[in-house]
Amino acid sequence: SHYIVCGFGRMGKQICNEFNSESIQFVIIDKAPDKIEAARNANYIAVEGDATLDETLQNVKVQDALCIVASLSSDAENLYTILSAKTLNPKIRAIARANTEEAVKKLQRAGADTVVSPHLTGARRLAAAALRPQVMDFVDGILAGTEGSFYIEEFLLDPSICPFVGKSLSEARLRSQSGALVLAIRRADGTLIGGPSAEEILQAGDILFCMGTATQLRQINRILVPNQGTSLRPPHEEK
Amino acid sequence: SHYIVCGFGRMGKQICNEFNSESIQFVIIDKAPDKIEAARNANYIAVEGDATLDETLQNVKVQDALCIVASLSSDAENLYTILSAKTLNPKIRAIARANTEEAVKKLQRAGADTVVSPHLTGARRLAAAALRPQVMDFVDGILAGTEGSFYIEEFLLDPSICPFVGKSLSEARLRSQSGALVLAIRRADGTLIGGPSAEEILQAGDILFCMGTATQLRQINRILVPNQGTSLRPPHEEK
Ligand SMILES: [Ca+2]
Ligand SMILES: [Ca+2]
C-alpha cells in the first residue's frame, strides 16, 4: 500500500517532503538521472524511467499502490501516466497536476480523482490572503498540523465496525471523551451538515470531519473503530 | 478603502473574479493594453501603467487603499511594487506572489504581509489531496463558501465595542444564539486555543474563528459588535 510520485522537480520534491513527514511509504519515478540522484541524496527510493510507460509503472508495483501523484511539467505526460496507472490498477487514487487551465477537464476525463492547478490554487490563496488573512493562516496551520499540533482528520463510519451508527453524537460522547471537535458530517449522499448538534444521528457511510490534536484524534479513532480492524489511515503520531 | 490588483494575467484575473464575487471594490494595474482591454471587457476598473512606479500607484490612490496584491510574473517587479506601495502607505496590506522559491524571503523582507508561492501551495495541495482527500474538499468548500454556504470567518474582539470581553464563551451564548461553531481562539500573543470549551474567557485582542452560514456569521457579528460601529468586514450576503 505505497504511494507513487511521478516527477521529482520543484513540486515533486515538496510533495515527497510532505509524504516523508507523515511517514508515508512512497517511490519516485523520474526520467532525469540528476533528479534521481537528488532524490536518493534525500534518502528517498527513486526509479529512473518514463512514468507514461506500463513497464516503468509495473516496476514500481502500480498494481499494489494506493495512490499515484502525476507532477510532471508536461500535461500530456501527466494525462498519459494517469490513464496508464488507472488501466493497470483501477482502484488506485490518482492525483494530477494541471499546468494549464485547459488540462484540468482533460485530466479529470482521463480518470484523475483530483486535479490541482497551481495557478488556480495560487490565485485563490492570494485572494483569500487579501480577504481573510487570519482565517488562511489558521486553515494552513491546521492542514499542515503546525498549529500546536491541531489538525483536521476524516473518519468514515463503517456500520460493521463502528458501534455508534444509528446513535446520536451525544450518545457517542466524542467531544467529552476525546476533546476533539466534530466540525461537520458529510452524508453518503454528499449533504454536508456543518456544526452538527448533539442530537444528530450518525449514519452508515457518514464521514466525520474532526479537529483536534493527534492524541484527541487517535482517541476519536479508538471510539469509532474500537477493534482497530480498520482501513483508516490512523492520525499522525504526536511530534 | 479599495483594493489594488497588479497584473491581469492568468492569476490576476482569477483573483479579480474572487474579489468581484465578494463585492470588493478594486482597481487593476497592468502594462499591457490587451490585458487592460480584457479587464474592461469583464467590467472591471483598469489603469494602464507600470505598477512599480509611484506615479501609477498614486493614480490608483494607493494612499487610501486597504490592500495591494502584486501578481506580476516578475519577482523583481513584485518586490519593487510592494516596497513602493508600503512607502506611500505604510498601513496597506501587501500580498505578493513569489514565482521562485528564492523570492519568498526577499518579498517578506520588502514588507509583504503575505507571500504566496503557487508552486509551494500547489505541491501542498497535491500532497493533501493524496493524504486527506475528503478534508481538502471540505476545507476548499468552506474557504470558497460553496459548501451549502458554510464558511469560516474571523472576528477581532475590541473591548471598546464587544460586551463579552472578560466573560466566558457560554456567557456570550454565541453557539446557542447564532448556531455557528467557534472553531478556535487566537490570543493576542499568538497562542491558538482549538475547540475552546464553554468556560474559556474571551480576552481583548482575541480573534475568534467561527464556522457557519452567512446568516449565522452575521448573527455572531451582531452579538460581538452590537452597535455596528465596526471596522470588521461583514460576512458575505446569503446567496
Ligand atoms: Ca504534516
Ligand atoms: Ca466566495
Side-chain angles (χ1 to χ4, degrees):
Chain A
S1 66
H2 60 292
Y3 287 51
I4 299 168
V5 177
C6 307
F8 195 72
R10 187 153 56 142
M11 289 181 63
K13 190 178 168 184
Q14 183 66 31
I15 295 163
C16 292
N17 293 346
E18 303 258 336
F19 283 178
N20 184 50
S21 82
E22 303 216 7
S23 308
I24 297 291
Q25 301 253 326
F26 63 92
V27 52
I28 297 156
I29 302 174
D30 203 298
K31 275 194 284 201
D34 60 319
K35 295 286 167 59
I36 295 296
E37 201 190 326
R40 287 180 183 156
N41 285 341
N43 282 320
Y44 296 149
I45 301 166
V47 172
E48 193 179 321
D50 181 341
T52 64
L53 301 180
D54 287 356
E55 196 196 334
T56 313
L57 293 172
Q58 280 159 340
N59 274 350
V60 299
K61 298 201 171 32
V62 70
Q63 304 91 322
D64 307 324
L66 201 64
C67 179
I68 187 165
V69 183
S71 178
L72 303 161
S73 52
S74 149
D75 283 332
E77 291 188 10
N78 281 334
L79 189 141
Y80 206 97
T81 299
I82 294 292
L83 207 82
S84 306
K86 280 277 182 184
T87 307
L88 293 166
N89 176 1
K91 285 186 174 171
I92 201 166
R93 191 191 298 154
I95 318 287
R97 160 180 162 191
N99 299 290
T100 60
E101 265 175 276
E102 310 88 81
V104 175
K105 285 205 173 145
K106 290 175 189 165
L107 285 161
Q108 283 166 340
R109 205 168 302 153
D113 297 289
T114 305
V115 178
V116 176
S117 155
H119 278 91
L120 195 61
T121 308
R124 288 212 185 108
R125 184 71 188 69
L126 282 161
L131 295 170
R132 292 179 197 84
Q134 297 289 338
V135 168
M136 279 314 301
D137 281 355
F138 168 64
V139 168
D140 281 352
I142 54 176
L143 286 178
T146 52
E147 276 293 3
S149 303
F150 266 89
Y151 58 97
I152 302 178
E153 196 57 79
E154 57 193 64
F155 299 95
L156 174 66
L157 298 194
D158 176 345
S160 68
I161 298 171
C162 175
F164 296 107
V165 168
K167 305 238 163 98
S168 70
L169 263 180
S170 66
E171 287 174 289
R173 298 177 58 217
L174 298 178
R175 172 84 163 141
S176 59
Q177 285 194 51
S178 75
L181 203 58
V182 180
L183 299 182
I185 300 172
R186 176 156 344 257
R187 297 289 187 217
D189 69 2
T191 314
L192 188 81
I193 298 159
S197 70
E199 294 74 40
E200 200 65 53
I201 303 294
L202 298 173
Q203 299 180 8
D206 280 358
I207 292 169
L208 267 62
F209 297 106
C210 303
M211 188 186 78
T213 62
T215 305
Q216 290 173 340
L217 294 170
R218 286 187 171 272
Q219 183 58 22
I220 287 233
N221 197 48
R222 273 191 288 273
I223 296 166
L224 296 175
V225 194
N227 60 10
Q228 298 296 318
T230 168
S231 63
L232 288 178
R233 195 178 55 77
H236 311 207
E237 295 293 337
E238 197 86 72
K239 286 186 184 141
Chain B
S1 67
H2 60 294
Y3 288 50
I4 300 168
V5 177
C6 307
F8 196 73
R10 185 152 58 139
M11 290 182 64
K13 190 178 167 184
Q14 183 65 32
I15 294 163
C16 292
N17 293 347
E18 302 259 335
F19 284 177
N20 186 50
S21 82
E22 302 216 7
S23 308
I24 298 291
Q25 301 254 327
F26 63 92
V27 52
I28 297 156
I29 302 174
D30 202 297
K31 276 194 284 202
D34 60 320
K35 295 287 166 59
I36 295 296
E37 201 189 328
R40 288 179 183 157
N41 286 342
N43 282 320
Y44 297 149
I45 301 167
V47 171
E48 193 178 322
D50 181 343
T52 65
L53 301 180
D54 286 358
E55 195 195 335
T56 314
L57 292 173
Q58 281 160 341
N59 274 350
V60 299
K61 298 200 171 32
V62 70
Q63 303 91 320
D64 308 324
L66 201 64
C67 179
I68 186 164
V69 182
S71 178
L72 304 161
S73 52
S74 148
D75 284 331
E77 289 187 12
N78 281 334
L79 190 141
Y80 206 97
T81 299
I82 293 294
L83 206 82
S84 306
K86 280 277 181 183
T87 306
L88 293 166
N89 177 359
K91 284 187 176 172
I92 202 166
R93 192 192 297 155
I95 318 285
R97 159 180 163 191
N99 300 289
T100 60
E101 265 172 276
E102 309 88 80
V104 175
K105 285 204 173 146
K106 290 174 189 167
L107 286 161
Q108 282 167 340
R109 205 167 303 154
D113 297 289
T114 304
V115 179
V116 176
S117 155
H119 278 92
L120 195 61
T121 308
R124 288 213 184 107
R125 185 70 188 70
L126 282 160
L131 295 169
R132 294 181 195 82
Q134 296 289 337
V135 168
M136 280 313 303
D137 281 357
F138 168 64
V139 169
D140 281 353
I142 55 177
L143 286 178
T146 53
E147 276 290 4
S149 302
F150 266 90
Y151 59 95
I152 302 178
E153 196 56 80
E154 58 193 64
F155 299 95
L156 175 66
L157 298 195
D158 176 345
S160 69
I161 299 170
C162 174
F164 295 107
V165 168
K167 304 240 162 98
S168 69
L169 264 181
S170 66
E171 287 173 289
R173 297 176 61 216
L174 298 177
R175 172 82 163 143
S176 60
Q177 285 194 50
S178 75
L181 203 58
V182 180
L183 300 182
I185 299 173
R186 174 152 349 253
R187 298 286 187 219
D189 69 3
T191 315
L192 188 81
I193 298 159
S197 70
E199 293 74 40
E200 200 65 53
I201 303 295
L202 297 173
Q203 299 179 8
D206 280 358
I207 293 169
L208 268 62
F209 297 105
C210 304
M211 188 186 79
T213 62
T215 305
Q216 291 172 339
L217 294 170
R218 286 186 172 272
Q219 182 58 23
I220 286 233
N221 197 48
R222 272 190 288 271
I223 295 166
L224 296 176
V225 193
N227 61 8
Q228 299 295 320
T230 170
S231 63
L232 288 178
R233 194 178 55 78
H236 312 206
E237 294 293 337
E238 196 88 72
K239 283 181 188 147

